[in-house]
Every structure is written in structure tokens, then in C-alpha cells.
Amino acid sequence: MNMPEDRLTIAALGGVNEIGKNMYFLQYADDIIVIDCGSKFPDESLLGIDLIIPDVTYLLNNVDKLRALIVTHGHEDHIGGIPYLLKQLDIPLYASRLTLGLIENKLKEHNLLRQTSLHCIDGESILTFGSITTTFFKTNHSIPDCLGVVFDTPEGTVVHTGDFKFDMTPVNNQYPDIHKMADIGKNGVKFLLSESTNAERPGFTPSERLVGAHMEEAFQKAEQRIFVSTFASNVARLQQIVDAAIKTGRKLTLLGRSMVNVVGVSQELGYLSIPDGMLVEPADAAKLPSHEIAVLCTGSQGEPMAALSRLANSSHRIMEIGAGDTVLLAANPIPGNERNVSRIIDNLYLLGARVIYGSRSELHVSGHGSQEELKLMLTLMKPEYFIPIHGEYRMLHHHRLLAEAVGVDEDHIFILKNGELVESKAGVVRQSGSVPAGQIFVDGLGIGDIGNVVLRDRRQLSADGVLITVITLSQTDGRMLNEPDTISRGFVYIRNSDKLMEEINQMVTDTLHNMSHADLRQWNIMKQTLKIALGKFLYEKTKRRPMILPIIIEV
Amino acid sequence: MNMPEDRLTIAALGGVNEIGKNMYFLQYADDIIVIDCGSKFPDESLLGIDLIIPDVTYLLNNVDKLRALIVTHGHEDHIGGIPYLLKQLDIPLYASRLTLGLIENKLKEHNLLRQTSLHCIDGESILTFGSITTTFFKTNHSIPDCLGVVFDTPEGTVVHTGDFKFDMTPVNNQYPDIHKMADIGKNGVKFLLSESTNAERPGFTPSERLVGAHMEEAFQKAEQRIFVSTFASNVARLQQIVDAAIKTGRKLTLLGRSMVNVVGVSQELGYLSIPDGMLVEPADAAKLPSHEIAVLCTGSQGEPMAALSRLANSSHRIMEIGAGDTVLLAANPIPGNERNVSRIIDNLYLLGARVIYGSRSELHVSGHGSQEELKLMLTLMKPEYFIPIHGEYRMLHHHRLLAEAVGVDEDHIFILKNGELVESKAGVVRQSGSVPAGQIFVDGLGIGDIGNVVLRDRRQLSADGVLITVITLSQTDGRMLNEPDTISRGFVYIRNSDKLMEEINQMVTDTLHNMSHADLRQWNIMKQTLKIALGKFLYEKTKRRPMILPIIIEV
């Protein structure tokens, strides 16, 4: 699809009607600017899939128009798709310092670091891409160095908030720049794209500083080892954990690759301050008296291979958790992870640990603004048109209600599907068509090679297994040369001697005997007939529907 | 295992360190009394499994000693395993009237109704089973007619609470009999087995009556059709929905088999009162003016085949939900069901419905007592020994802390695993050995025929699919008669013409060519060698590990 020259278009390639794989673009004439390129974890129905990334067909068809990829912050749902994008096309990348540091780590892993043009920006940067002038404003979120983005286009100003909350007492000076936001609003905003994660939640999200107070209290009470698990990227929280350890005279050790990575980058870039000599290697920490050590570890979402899970199973290589140790879970389970997290808590209690978890512990606050903060953003920006982004449908719906409540016209609000376009042409705004958008599955080394057929097969295989029957026919006269050879996996445990196996082989032989001579010449008909006959037989016998694969060999 | 004659033993066959499949027994000399026989739904790791039931090996080995199966109430986690138990052994069953009604429905479905001896009991019943006198006390829970059980044995009194909360303003007179509980405590309790579901939750669970007030308010505000989804078994809530419909002049219709079942049984037995003519068939309801109808439907847990899910997808046979209709979700998602429930809410908003959901709507309260209620039960019963039951380990752990707080001796508390025995012999109490206990999987018609091998195979099949390669060898000289015949399912979509398929077949041929003459005579070695070679090759090519099944045919 080619856009007419004199209009502005805006679309999501990912991030609406879902949580994850955020990717948006806007285009005026021949200039396309992309915002974020995230990934998303599959739900349990996408068997075997490792990662989901956005479909970037539209960008691949318009590589000559790509001016910039602007990244609002360093969370996976905003940066996780970048390596896969950069393998397919070249685009200069702009991000703040910490965001860039995290992206560089990622590009290094994919051997893409050298070939990509990376640019460091901050809240004061001004960039011009063809007809579009781009500026920024600082926001606060659960990772430092977050930016909102302002695009001045011939059709008016477009604001993309990125992820935000309004934390007035932030840790490490990560203040949201409310004055600049007010100025932007005063100058007139045509389109506001604002995130919707907590649009269902009334009130105002508590400050990260609240966590610091409870963290320190928990450290004060602990008598033996302390283990804290939280999102590695929440650098402000890491700082508060460091501070609590300092106040209680404990050294700190890190478990888990992403924790080591983020702490490394954040320290190097000055976002995290840890006194010299405080950080010790796990092997050394294991030798310290138990009241002198705090362990910062990954796995707060119950990930089975992460440090906390291994510790809870007593299968960690170096450290162990014992009676009297304290474990602080400074994160809420993301929907879908509750069971895994609960299992870890059970195991920690079995080890005799004190476990502090759950919303009552106040060791976690959300990084996303609640309804009052979303209304504050809408009020500051006073947009003419509003596009709620970054959320599932019910969140976008509630965000729309908030926008209406603060005075945005009902018919100036667009709830988009991924790929759907909003255009402004000579000041007239409307929804107009769409570009390709969907989910691309990453499975092992394959990107996009797993489609619905393979997933449907995996679902059938996962529920009832597979039954394979091999029939050997004579090339000369078409008669069966052998008994059928039948095996199954994941269906039910059958030995060759079992009656069920005999019955299956008899059924195969009988079915072939009863087929006409003409049909026996057509393998597709033979296979289909066997599938139906065996399927019916097995369902009656077992009420299960294994995948049935007849294989015909001609010798 | 045979128990010595002169001691009392108590054990869980299911229900501790888990939520679900509750089953307990106690034995004195030659008398065994079983309490409850529940089922449990599998988590997502148990691929293809339909249901989990307790292992009853111990009971099967002691059929001559089985005196009674006492059922505390009619929830699936207490009655779901009964048909499977009764297929294996005979035991007289005792339950209250509604519980019995629900069990009868279940036995009818399994053609077991006539052969089972069923006995109706109530809070005043007194039964003698050999050396054990059994009495009961009424409790309140999220289904009517719940009983706690008291066993007077030569070793002292054992109390099993069943599931309970202390609702002082219950619906339909389902008062907990606190006075009787106080008497039981006054007479001395040796062992208390008390349920632990909400042991992590501070405070006192709100009364079911709170839901009634909010339900009525929601009915008053609705302008068009009302759809309410809740647990079918919560008869008190159904009554409050009926009452709200009466007050707002709406007729009622039912969608979903379990809703129709429970409403039928409850009406028949007098637990649910619906005025004549108020209940209409769905087809007739669909023709009524929208403000005159309320729909009561199953599916509050997001079950994909249930009525609410079909309504949200606009795929219900009879009714549909449209703009302006109101949907009330009077249930919280059970952990693990959050995503499915969220998907339904999204779809309902997409249809233009008003959706009332979540804890803030106050359309749901728990049926289980919180910490203050658990402490109240412990205080009323003043047990010498305490066994927290009905909960995952962290819940049992917190219940232990509550028991200690109200004065139970730390070393008089037993957190058991399923199957572990507590015995009392001449007044001396100790933990002593165990009987078999585990999970039996029901899959289709198979009970217990799915083991770890089949599940492990299903897991591999679900993640990376299967690759089958058939090799045809000559019986006379062992040489390959054909090219290998290779197919895959759920791995990656490969056509026969694809290069990967050629490479696989070449690899198979080469591998066999390189094998010694001796090894080629041993099919197990051939298969193993092919599996390793192909596995390595495919992992390098794809980073996936499909199940590899070489099949050798000799003609």
C-alpha cells in the first residue's frame, strides 16, 4: 500500500488489543518514523513457540521511507523485536542512554552491533526527519530514562506517551517533566497516543518510594540471609534494595543472567550506585555469615529455569536457602504466572524460609499510571483526537471512557486494531484502511515458519498423541507384504503384545481388504479410509483422538 | 499395610499440598470411615488429561473394613471422584439432602445409581460404625447443606470441619451451628482437621448477603438484557439473582447444562425458590422485550465451551449479547483461569455490552473463612492436636501459624503429605508411616493408564512435533530397498520437495551406510544411531527437538 503524499497516517503494528510487542509508526508523505519494536511471550495455547514479534511487512515494502526507529524505553515489550527487525532492514535507532545500553547488549548477542547506527537522545533532543520535527519529554516508569515523543507534522502535533506513571517522589531523580508536558498541551496536540495498562484501576498508583520503606523494614527484621527477587530492569528498585542492604550492613550478590546484565549496564552508565566492595561473587557470598549477605535474584515470575526457582528446589549450583532465611518477592505475578509463583512460595516454606509476598507486603508497586494519572495526562495534553494504545481491549475501552470524562469528543476517539490506519488530510481526520499486522512466531531458529497447521498438529499431538501404522504393499500386485507395523507415542502405553494393538492391526488389514481394487491404487483414498476407520475405532475404545498417520510403502 | 487393632489412624488420600481431590479417612481397629472423594482439574502441564482423582489402593486392600463414605458437601473437589470409587468398591454413602441430590445426578450419568446404598443425614444425625460414633454440625459455605463431622473414637474425638466460613447473615437460613461447635469443643477435641483455603487472607470473609445488595443495584441500573454468570452450585447466590430479577420485573432463563441441573435439583429439594411462571425457555426468552429478561449462565471461569464464552463469541445457538446489554460476572477467576476470563470480558466490550466484573464490583465473596474465622473455629474446638487440611503448602503453613497464635502447641500440629498417617495409640500421638496416595489420571475412558512416559511424550510432541522416517530393508541381504520415507507433523511445515527433507533422507541413508554390518542386524542399535544423528542435525539446523521415530520394515 502506498500512502498519498499529503496526508499523515498513524498505526499500531503491535500493542493494541494485547499486552506486548509494542510497535507504532507514523508517516507523512515519504517519511516514516517507527516507535518501539517489542516482543511478547506466547500464551500456553501456542505450543512450542518461543517468542512473538510484530509483522513488519509494511516497513519492508517501504524501506526507502524509513527515517528512524525511536525507542521509548528498555522493556522487552518495547525492544524485544529489534534484533529481528534489524536482521531484515536498516534503520537508524534513537533511544535514551540506558535504553541504548540495554539494546546494545541485545544486538551484541545477535551479532548486529556494528552494522546498526545508534543515536543517544534525551528529554531535550530535537530531531528533524524530513517534514517531521521530533522532540521528547521525560516520563517516570518502572525503568529509568523513559521518554514520551512529540512529532510536529504539517497536519499537527502527534504525542506518544510511552509507558508512564506520575511518581512525584521518584527514586534517583527520575521526575516526569510535567512542565514540558503542560507546554506541549498548551501549544496544541492533534493526536494523543497514551498507554492503557492500568485503565481499569481507579486512583493513583503509589510511588516507588513506598517500596523502599517496606524493603528497609523487611531488611531490618531479617536475621539470616535475605533473598530478594524482582524485575531486573526496575533499576530504581534495585537501588532501594542496595540502599536497604547498606543500612543493614549486608553485602550483595547477584544470581541470574539478566540481573548481572542490567546491574552491569546500569552501574556503568551511572543509573545504579553500589559502593565499592559491596558486590561479591556468589561463591564468596556463600561463605559469609548469614546476616551479612543479601542475594538479588531473577525469577520473580516463577520462571522454571531462573535463579529463584532453582533456589526453591534446592537445585542452585552455588547458593541454598535454609530455615530462617528471608525471601522477599518484590513483584506481582503477571497474569498466567500465578501458579508457578505459588509453587515457588510453597517450596520456600517447605525449606523453612520466611517468605514475604503478595500485595499486602507492599514490596511492589505498578509502573503504570492508574485512572487519575491517565486523566492527568489527557488533561495536560488536551488532545483533539485520542488513540488509546498499549493494552487489551477492555483497557482501551476504559481509557476511552476516561478520555470522554475529561472532555475528548466521543467521535474523536479511535480504538484501533493492529494495522488499522488513522489519517489526517487537510485537517480532516478519519479511519482509513489498514496495513498488514499480525503475530510472527519465533521458534528455535525459525522466524515465521510456524503457521496454523503446525500449531493445530501440535495441539492434537499434545492432547492425545500419535498413532503411526506402516503398510507395505507389493509394487507388482498391490497386495500387503507384511502385517501392518503400528506404533504410538503419547496416546496410551501399548506393548506390541497388547490386545489393543492386535485389534488395531486387524482393523487396518480388514479395512484394506474391504476396499475396492480401484481405491487401493489411490494412496490418498487408502490413507483417508484408514484414518476414518481407525479414528472411529479408537474413539469408541478410548474416547481419545490421537493423530493417525498411515504410511504406505511400496516395494 | 495393616493397622494394629488398638490404635486410631488419620490420613489424607488427597487434599493436602493441593487444592482439589479431597479425600480423608480415619480408622480405628477394623473400622474405616472415608470422608469425601473429590476430583481435581489438571494444570496445563498435564497435557490431554481430563481429570485427576485420588489413589484409593489402601481402601481397595481393606474393603472388608470400609464402613462409610461421608460427604461433607456437594462441590466437585469433594464429590467428583465418587463414581470412579464406586466402580471399584462398595461402600454405603452418607450425605445431606442437597449433597445427595447432586451425587445422585452424577451416579445416574455413570449408571451407578441403583447399586449404591445412599443415606440422607443432617446436622442432628447420629451414626455408629463399629467403635466409632459419628455426629455432625451445620456449617456455612458457598453451597447449601454443608456439614462438619465429629467422630467419637476410643482414642478421643476427631473433628473434620469440611469447608466453611462464618456467615452470620446467610441467605436461606444456612446458619453455621456455632452453639453445637462450642459444645463439641467443651467436650474435648483430640484432633481437629480444619480447611485452610483462605489461611493467607487476613480478616473476616464478607457475608454472601453483601452480594445480594450489589446484585440488586446492578439489576436496577440495567436497561436492556441482563446476563449473570456465577458458579452453578452457589445456590444462595442463585436465590439472590432470582430475588433481584423478581424485584425488577424480569423473567429468568438458564443457559448451560450444570446451571439447568443444579437449579432443577435445588428447586425440587426446596433449596431454591422461583415463582411459578418466572422461569422461561431460552427460545422464549429471546423473544421477550430486553428489559424483561435476565439470563443465568455458566462459564464464569472462562471455560471455552460454556455458555458465557459462546455468548461472548456470538456463537450461542439461541441467545445473543448486543450493545447496551449488561453482563455481571459474579465470580472471581480461579488462579489459572485469568486469561480466559479476560478474553471473554474483551469480547463482551467489543459487542458493546456493559460488563461488571472484578473484586471492586462486589458481586462475589469467597465461600471460605479468612484468618479470623479460622481462629474462631480453632478457638471453638480447642483441639489438643491440629492437622490443617484442604490447601496448598503455603496455606497449611499459615494455618499452622494461626493455630499457634490461638494456643495450640507447636509440636501438636501436623502438616501432612497425602498418604502420611497420624496415629494415636493409648493416648500417645505421633506421625507413623504412610499408605499409597497419588494422582490417578482420567483421560477419556482410561483411568490410570496414562503415566509419566505418555505425558513426557506428549510434552515433547507439543513443543516440537514428530518426525517419522521409515526404512525398508531386504529380508535376504539387509540392504535398503527404497529411499527413506520421512514425514513430520507439528515440527515445521516441510514439503517433500524441500531441501530440508532431501537433507534428512540423505542423512538417514548416509548414517546406515556408515554402520557396521553387525550393527545393521540389530534394529535397536540402528534406531538409536538414527535418532542421535538426526536429532543432532535437526537441532543444529532449527534449534528444535522433535520426537524422532525411525521405523524399520523388513520385506
Side-chain angles (χ1 to χ4, degrees):
Chain A
M1 184 172 189
N2 266 310
M3 306 289 173
E5 297 250 319
D6 56 348
R7 61 171 186 163
L8 168 72
T9 47
I10 302 172
L13 291 177
V16 292
N17 295 302
E18 64 182 335
I19 288 283
K21 73 174 172 65
N22 287 284
M23 187 169 198
Y24 306 86
F25 76 83
L26 83 172
Q27 175 168 11
Y28 185 85
D30 278 348
D31 303 313
I32 296 176
I33 303 179
V34 182
I35 304 141
D36 293 335
C37 181
S39 61
K40 175 178 164 177
F41 289 109
D43 67 29
E44 61 278 4
S45 73
L46 298 175
L47 297 168
I49 302 298
D50 298 323
L51 207 63
I52 305 172
I53 54 175
D55 182 341
V56 295
T57 305
Y58 179 73
L59 305 182
L60 289 170
N61 292 339
N62 290 277
V63 274
D64 56 313
K65 302 192 182 73
L66 297 180
R67 302 292 165 251
L69 166 61
I70 293 171
V71 184
T72 59
H73 65 285
H75 279 152
E76 285 301 313
D77 58 332
H78 296 256
I79 70 171
I82 293 177
Y84 304 96
L85 180 74
L86 294 180
K87 275 174 196 166
Q88 299 177 77
L89 52 78
D90 274 331
I91 184 169
L93 189 157
Y94 298 82
S96 61
R97 217 152 58 94
L98 178 67
T99 311
L100 219 49
L102 295 168
I103 293 171
E104 279 171 2
N105 254 352
K106 206 170 263 294
L107 295 181
K108 235 178 264 169
E109 283 170 21
H110 284 84
N111 286 319
L112 287 162
L113 191 53
R114 287 211 203 164
Q115 68 194 66
T116 306
S117 131
L118 301 174
H119 306 270
C120 190
I121 52 174
D122 61 27
E124 306 313 314
S125 300
I126 302 174
L127 306 169
T128 304
F129 303 113
S131 48
I132 305 169
T133 305
T134 306
T135 54
F136 304 88
F137 57 95
K138 284 199 249 177
T139 61
N140 175 282
H141 180 46
S142 47
I143 186 170
D145 244 11
C146 293
L147 294 174
V149 197
V150 185
F151 304 97
D152 282 313
T153 81
E155 286 286 335
T157 298
V158 181
V159 173
H160 183 296
T161 62
D163 292 7
F164 70 94
K165 66 193 275 193
F166 281 100
D167 192 336
M168 314 296 185
T169 55
V171 177
N172 284 359
N173 286 314
Q174 292 288 322
Y175 286 94
D177 192 345
I178 301 188
H179 298 93
K180 188 159 185 182
M181 296 184 211
D183 282 342
I184 295 163
K186 239 186 280 173
N187 292 332
V189 172
K190 179 105 176 197
F191 290 100
L192 173 66
L193 285 71
S194 180
E195 71 118 326
S196 313
T197 315
N198 276 348
E200 297 171 287
R201 202 180 287 188
F204 212 97
T205 302
S207 169
E208 177 65 29
R209 209 168 275 273
L210 181 81
V211 173
H214 288 98
M215 190 66 72
E216 194 185 318
E217 201 184 314
F219 268 65
Q220 298 286 6
K221 282 187 190 157
E223 290 176 0
Q224 303 191 31
R225 279 180 182 163
I226 298 177
F227 295 80
V228 195
S229 190
T230 190
F231 301 102
S233 60
N234 196 330
V235 180
R237 190 160 307 160
L238 303 188
Q239 185 65 63
Q240 301 200 107
I241 294 165
V242 170
D243 294 347
I246 295 173
K247 285 204 181 144
T248 53
R250 288 174 185 261
K251 298 212 181 272
L252 198 68
T253 193
L254 310 175
L255 298 182
R257 199 171 62 105
S258 66
M259 196 59 83
V260 173
N261 272 348
V262 172
V263 168
V265 173
S266 314
Q267 265 195 300
E268 197 184 308
L269 300 178
Y271 291 87
L272 181 64
S273 148
I274 305 180
D276 285 347
M278 183 181 182
L279 217 50
V280 297
E281 287 299 314
D284 298 327
K287 292 176 209 144
L288 286 174
S290 64
H291 65 280
E292 287 181 17
I293 186 70
V295 181
L296 192 48
C297 63
T298 55
S300 64
Q301 292 303 309
E303 304 91 329
M305 304 305 286
L308 186 63
S309 193
R310 291 180 193 274
L311 288 164
N313 294 331
S314 303
S315 65
H316 194 273
R317 223 164 20 93
I318 301 168
M319 299 289 279
E320 58 184 37
I321 294 182
D325 288 343
T326 300
V327 182
L328 309 175
L329 283 178
N332 284 358
I334 292 167
N337 297 342
E338 292 88 350
R339 285 190 195 180
N340 283 343
V341 174
S342 295
R343 202 58 55 247
I344 285 178
I345 297 168
D346 287 337
N347 289 336
L348 292 169
Y349 276 129
L350 270 164
L351 295 174
R354 289 174 60 229
V355 193
I356 320 281
Y357 62 98
S359 54
R360 278 180 216 97
S361 70
E362 304 193 87
L363 290 176
H364 175 73
V365 296
S366 175
H368 300 274
S370 301
Q371 291 180 347
E372 295 308 318
E373 290 155 282
L374 300 180
K375 280 152 70 181
L376 176 54
M377 180 63 85
L378 282 154
T379 301
L380 284 166
M381 293 297 171
K382 295 184 298 179
E384 206 177 324
Y385 293 88
F386 175 55
I387 304 175
I389 58 169
H390 199 289
E392 302 189 356
Y393 188 82
R394 63 192 182 284
M395 303 165 189
L396 307 178
H397 169 81
H398 281 276
H399 206 172
R400 166 169 56 190
L401 299 182
L402 297 173
E404 290 175 15
V406 301
V408 180
D409 271 7
E410 196 180 332
D411 54 359
H412 280 201
I413 302 174
F414 297 95
I415 295 194
L416 300 179
K417 293 194 176 68
N418 287 324
E420 287 182 347
L421 299 164
V422 168
E423 71 161 38
S424 175
K425 188 178 169 183
V428 181
V429 173
R430 60 184 190 107
Q431 236 190 286
S432 66
S434 64
V435 300
Q439 33 190 24
I440 305 295
F441 300 137
V442 179
D443 179 2
L445 293 181
I447 299 169
D449 63 346
I450 300 290
N452 286 333
V453 174
V454 171
L455 278 172
R456 193 196 55 206
D457 287 348
R458 285 185 186 172
R459 261 172 230 137
Q460 189 182 1
L461 290 167
S462 75
D464 291 316
V466 61
L467 184 119
I468 303 146
T469 184
V470 184
I471 296 135
T472 324
L473 300 180
S474 154
Q475 221 163 8
T476 29
D477 56 8
R479 80 194 153 81
M480 278 176 70
L481 293 175
N482 271 349
E483 277 284 277
D485 203 319
T486 303
I487 60 168
S488 79
R489 287 292 185 278
F491 166 47
V492 55
Y493 193 77
I494 335 181
R495 274 171 300 261
N496 272 324
S497 54
D498 283 352
K499 189 162 158 278
L500 183 61
M501 191 58 89
E502 267 176 48
E503 288 174 337
I504 291 169
N505 286 339
Q506 193 57 50
M507 167 120 264
V508 173
T509 311
D510 293 350
T511 306
L512 294 181
H513 272 297
N514 292 334
M515 286 180 69
S516 74
H517 205 72
D519 283 350
L520 284 173
R521 296 266 149 211
Q522 300 192 54
W523 289 10
N524 279 342
I525 294 182
M526 274 174 71
K527 286 183 184 174
Q528 200 51 35
T529 310
L530 282 171
K531 273 189 197 180
I532 292 170
L534 274 178
K536 196 160 163 272
F537 172 74
L538 293 176
Y539 186 72
E540 274 164 17
K541 278 274 177 189
T542 65
K543 289 273 181 292
R544 299 177 202 172
R545 302 189 187 282
M547 177 180 286
I548 295 168
L549 293 176
I551 300 178
I552 300 170
I553 305 284
E554 208 178 43
V555 252
Chain B
M1 184 172 190
N2 266 309
M3 306 289 173
E5 297 251 317
D6 57 347
R7 60 171 186 165
L8 168 72
T9 47
I10 302 171
L13 291 177
V16 292
N17 295 301
E18 65 183 333
I19 287 284
K21 71 173 172 69
N22 287 284
M23 188 168 197
Y24 306 86
F25 76 85
L26 83 170
Q27 174 167 11
Y28 185 84
D30 277 348
D31 303 312
I32 297 176
I33 302 180
V34 182
I35 304 141
D36 293 338
C37 180
S39 61
K40 175 178 165 178
F41 289 110
D43 68 28
E44 60 278 2
S45 73
L46 297 175
L47 297 169
I49 302 298
D50 299 322
L51 206 63
I52 305 172
I53 54 176
D55 183 340
V56 294
T57 304
Y58 180 71
L59 304 183
L60 289 170
N61 291 339
N62 290 276
V63 276
D64 56 314
K65 302 193 183 75
L66 298 179
R67 301 291 165 252
L69 167 61
I70 293 171
V71 185
T72 59
H73 64 286
H75 278 151
E76 285 300 314
D77 58 333
H78 296 256
I79 69 170
I82 293 177
Y84 304 97
L85 179 74
L86 293 182
K87 275 173 198 165
Q88 299 178 76
L89 52 79
D90 274 329
I91 185 169
L93 190 157
Y94 298 81
S96 62
R97 219 150 58 92
L98 179 66
T99 310
L100 218 48
L102 295 167
I103 293 172
E104 280 173 2
N105 253 352
K106 206 169 259 295
L107 295 182
K108 236 178 263 170
E109 283 170 21
H110 284 83
N111 286 319
L112 288 163
L113 190 51
R114 288 211 205 161
Q115 70 192 70
T116 306
S117 131
L118 301 174
H119 306 269
C120 189
I121 51 172
D122 61 27
E124 306 312 315
S125 301
I126 301 173
L127 305 170
T128 304
F129 304 112
S131 49
I132 304 170
T133 304
T134 307
T135 55
F136 304 90
F137 56 94
K138 284 199 250 177
T139 61
N140 175 281
H141 181 44
S142 48
I143 185 169
D145 243 11
C146 292
L147 295 173
V149 196
V150 185
F151 303 96
D152 282 312
T153 82
E155 286 286 335
T157 297
V158 181
V159 174
H160 183 295
T161 62
D163 292 8
F164 70 94
K165 66 193 277 194
F166 282 100
D167 192 336
M168 314 294 185
T169 55
V171 176
N172 285 358
N173 287 313
Q174 293 288 322
Y175 286 94
D177 192 346
I178 302 187
H179 297 92
K180 189 159 185 183
M181 296 183 213
D183 282 341
I184 296 162
K186 240 184 280 173
N187 293 332
V189 171
K190 180 107 177 198
F191 290 101
L192 173 67
L193 285 71
S194 181
E195 70 118 328
S196 313
T197 316
N198 276 347
E200 296 171 289
R201 203 180 287 185
F204 212 98
T205 302
S207 169
E208 178 65 30
R209 211 168 273 275
L210 182 82
V211 173
H214 288 98
M215 191 65 73
E216 194 185 319
E217 201 184 313
F219 267 65
Q220 299 286 6
K221 281 189 189 155
E223 290 175 1
Q224 302 190 33
R225 278 181 183 163
I226 297 178
F227 295 79
V228 194
S229 192
T230 190
F231 302 102
S233 61
N234 195 329
V235 180
R237 189 159 307 159
L238 303 188
Q239 185 67 62
Q240 300 200 107
I241 293 165
V242 170
D243 294 346
I246 294 173
K247 284 204 182 142
T248 53
R250 289 175 184 259
K251 298 211 181 275
L252 198 68
T253 195
L254 310 175
L255 298 182
R257 199 170 64 105
S258 66
M259 196 59 83
V260 173
N261 272 349
V262 173
V263 167
V265 173
S266 312
Q267 264 195 300
E268 198 184 307
L269 300 179
Y271 291 88
L272 181 65
S273 149
I274 306 180
D276 285 346
M278 184 181 180
L279 216 52
V280 297
E281 287 299 315
D284 299 326
K287 291 176 207 145
L288 286 173
S290 63
H291 65 280
E292 289 182 12
I293 186 70
V295 181
L296 191 49
C297 61
T298 55
S300 63
Q301 293 302 309
E303 304 91 330
M305 304 305 285
L308 187 64
S309 193
R310 292 180 191 273
L311 288 165
N313 293 331
S314 302
S315 66
H316 194 274
R317 223 163 21 90
I318 300 168
M319 300 289 278
E320 57 184 35
I321 294 182
D325 288 343
T326 300
V327 182
L328 309 175
L329 284 178
N332 284 358
I334 292 166
N337 297 340
E338 293 87 351
R339 285 190 194 179
N340 282 343
V341 174
S342 296
R343 201 60 53 247
I344 284 178
I345 296 167
D346 287 338
N347 289 336
L348 291 170
Y349 275 129
L350 271 164
L351 294 174
R354 291 172 60 230
V355 192
I356 321 284
Y357 62 98
S359 54
R360 278 180 217 97
S361 70
E362 302 193 90
L363 291 176
H364 176 73
V365 295
S366 175
H368 299 274
S370 300
Q371 290 179 348
E372 296 307 318
E373 289 155 284
L374 299 180
K375 281 154 68 183
L376 177 53
M377 180 63 85
L378 282 155
T379 301
L380 284 166
M381 294 296 170
K382 296 185 297 178
E384 205 176 323
Y385 293 88
F386 174 56
I387 305 176
I389 58 168
H390 198 290
E392 301 190 355
Y393 188 81
R394 64 194 181 283
M395 303 166 189
L396 306 178
H397 170 80
H398 281 275
H399 207 172
R400 167 169 56 192
L401 299 182
L402 297 173
E404 290 175 13
V406 302
V408 181
D409 269 9
E410 197 179 333
D411 53 0
H412 281 199
I413 301 174
F414 297 96
I415 295 194
L416 300 179
K417 295 194 175 67
N418 288 324
E420 286 182 348
L421 299 164
V422 169
E423 69 162 38
S424 175
K425 189 178 168 181
V428 180
V429 173
R430 60 183 191 105
Q431 236 189 286
S432 67
S434 62
V435 300
Q439 32 190 24
I440 304 295
F441 300 136
V442 179
D443 180 3
L445 293 182
I447 301 169
D449 62 346
I450 300 291
N452 287 332
V453 174
V454 171
L455 278 172
R456 192 197 58 207
D457 286 349
R458 286 185 185 171
R459 262 172 230 136
Q460 189 180 2
L461 290 166
S462 77
D464 290 316
V466 60
L467 185 118
I468 302 145
T469 185
V470 184
I471 297 133
T472 323
L473 300 180
S474 154
Q475 220 163 7
T476 27
D477 56 7
R479 77 192 156 81
M480 277 176 71
L481 293 176
N482 273 347
E483 278 281 277
D485 202 319
T486 302
I487 62 169
S488 80
R489 289 290 186 280
F491 167 48
V492 54
Y493 194 76
I494 334 180
R495 273 171 300 261
N496 272 323
S497 54
D498 283 353
K499 190 161 156 281
L500 183 59
M501 191 58 87
E502 268 175 47
E503 289 175 335
I504 291 168
N505 285 339
Q506 194 57 51
M507 167 120 272
V508 173
T509 311
D510 293 351
T511 306
L512 293 182
H513 272 297
N514 293 335
M515 285 179 70
S516 75
H517 205 71
D519 283 349
L520 284 173
R521 294 266 149 211
Q522 300 193 53
W523 288 10
N524 279 342
I525 294 181
M526 274 174 72
K527 286 181 184 176
Q528 201 50 36
T529 311
L530 282 171
K531 273 189 198 180
I532 291 169
L534 274 178
K536 194 160 165 269
F537 171 75
L538 292 176
Y539 186 74
E540 273 165 16
K541 277 273 174 186
T542 67
K543 289 272 184 289
R544 298 176 203 174
R545 301 192 188 279
M547 176 180 286
I548 295 168
L549 294 177
I551 300 179
I552 301 169
I553 305 284
E554 207 177 46
V555 245

